[in-house]
Amino acid sequence: MSALELVSVTKAYGETIAVDAITHNFASGSYSCLLGPSGCGKSSTLRMIAGHEVVTEGDILLGSANITDLPPAKRGTAMMFQNYALFPHLSVVDNVAFSQKMQGVEKKARRARAMELLELVHMEDYSERVPDQLSGGQQQRVALARALVTEPQILLLDEPLSALDPFLRTRMRAELKKLQRELGISFIHVTHSQDEALALADDIIVMNNAVIEQSGAPQQVFNAPTSEFVARFIGGHNVMKTDAGLMAVRTDRVQMARGTTGAADEALSATVRDVEFLGSVVNISLDGGPTGDLIATLPDSRFFDQPVEIGESVFLSWKAEDAHHLAA
């Protein structure tokens, strides 16, 4: 079932088109990531869904309701902002309860509801502190509780992990996914991090130059990119120019040898340009001549059994089924 549908949604700022007639269905109870570089239109899309930006053309449907022109508070969505936007002078519990206070809910009831949400995000012991007394990760949990207190049908998250250090970012994304499963509501999460999208999403929507370049399950988008942009942006792929056009091959599917084995249909000659040790794997950067720059990703054990040196000539090959032709 579709929780949210964008129908030819466009956002223009004067002559500049930030989002160009995009259409997409977000499944009910799913975790979706809008992924792309800065300026691609992903944040403008999220803000239109939230009602913080006016839709220039098109419609936004939530269930059976057209919410395109509704104010943010009446849409059935809630937004968690990148900077968390907590009120510095209010306690944690009063921050979470603030929207209910504005709705006229009496103090005892709204504080009780706020404490339920703080328990959900494991922040009940910090209820009387103010934001300056919390770490970045703790502030994020409070912002999450505040967004959820209105019981939205969809939670919108604008780069929610970008301000956290790498260790905390990894931990918090696991907690976000766990929370989404427990709540059973749809999350739509904007990010420029490929790793974040792959780890979190049921559905990745890759945006570029104001349009959706490709969407689908993480495994599908990663294993079978349909365009050069997606192959390069999602990472982990070599994009090669061949007589038949452009082709992508995952870097970990490239086999490297000092001599041709005769097993592959063809072997490509390349020169080692750099070797990068990344713990469990080693990335070998290669000059493929007319084919362009390439990377072979090898397990660390395989590389150190037969290490290669910068400047050394090697031969590369791959299975035919691991090569994906890309749209022009």
Side-chain angles (χ1 to χ4, degrees), residues 4-128:
L4 183 80
E5 185 177 359
L6 306 181
V7 184
S8 299
V9 171
T10 295
K11 179 61 185 177
Y13 299 97
E15 297 297 314
T16 303
I17 303 297
V19 179
D20 191 3
I22 65 169
T23 295
H24 190 75
N25 286 323
F26 296 87
S28 180
S30 64
Y31 201 123
S32 302
C33 281
L34 293 166
L35 173 67
S38 298
C40 71
K42 59 188 187 297
S43 289
S44 292
T45 300
L46 195 76
R47 290 178 65 81
M48 284 190 288
I49 296 169
H52 299 305
E53 292 283 0
V54 175
V55 174
T56 306
E57 291 181 21
D59 291 294
I60 301 174
L61 310 177
L62 181 57
S64 59
N66 189 323
I67 64 169
T68 310
D69 300 318
L70 293 181
K74 294 187 176 180
R75 289 182 168 234
T77 64
M79 187 148 174
M80 181 177 161
F81 295 96
Q82 186 174 359
N83 63 0
Y84 309 146
L86 299 175
F87 298 114
H89 61 289
L90 294 183
S91 68
V92 162
V93 68
D94 286 337
N95 259 286
V96 175
F98 184 78
S99 65
Q100 291 198 311
K101 181 181 181 180
M102 292 297 98
Q103 293 168 3
V105 178
E106 62 96 12
K107 185 174 182 178
K108 184 178 179 181
R110 69 177 183 254
R111 285 178 67 92
R113 177 61 181 152
M115 287 303 298
E116 289 177 13
L117 270 298
L118 288 172
E119 288 178 22
L120 184 68
V121 297
H122 310 296
M123 285 295 292
E124 66 273 20
D125 293 340
Y126 300 84
S127 62
E128 297 305 324

Side-chain angles (χ1 to χ4, degrees), residues 166-232:
F167 175 78
L168 188 55
R169 194 179 306 142
T170 301
R171 195 175 82 188
M172 285 304 298
R173 74 188 187 199
E175 293 194 17
L176 279 176
K177 184 65 176 176
K178 178 174 179 285
L179 185 62
Q180 187 269 328
R181 284 196 300 263
E182 290 175 351
L183 292 170
I185 66 173
S186 298
F187 281 26
I188 303 176
H189 175 137
V190 160
T191 182
H192 61 267
S193 167
Q194 300 88 336
D195 290 345
E196 201 169 289
L198 290 168
L200 281 168
D202 305 309
D203 182 30
I204 292 179
I205 302 100
V206 184
M207 294 190 68
N208 180 39
N209 289 332
V211 300
I212 294 173
E213 198 71 40
Q214 183 177 354
S215 64
Q219 187 177 11
Q220 175 191 356
V221 173
F222 185 78
N223 284 332
T226 57
S227 70
E228 180 179 3
F229 172 81
V230 175
R232 292 191 187 280

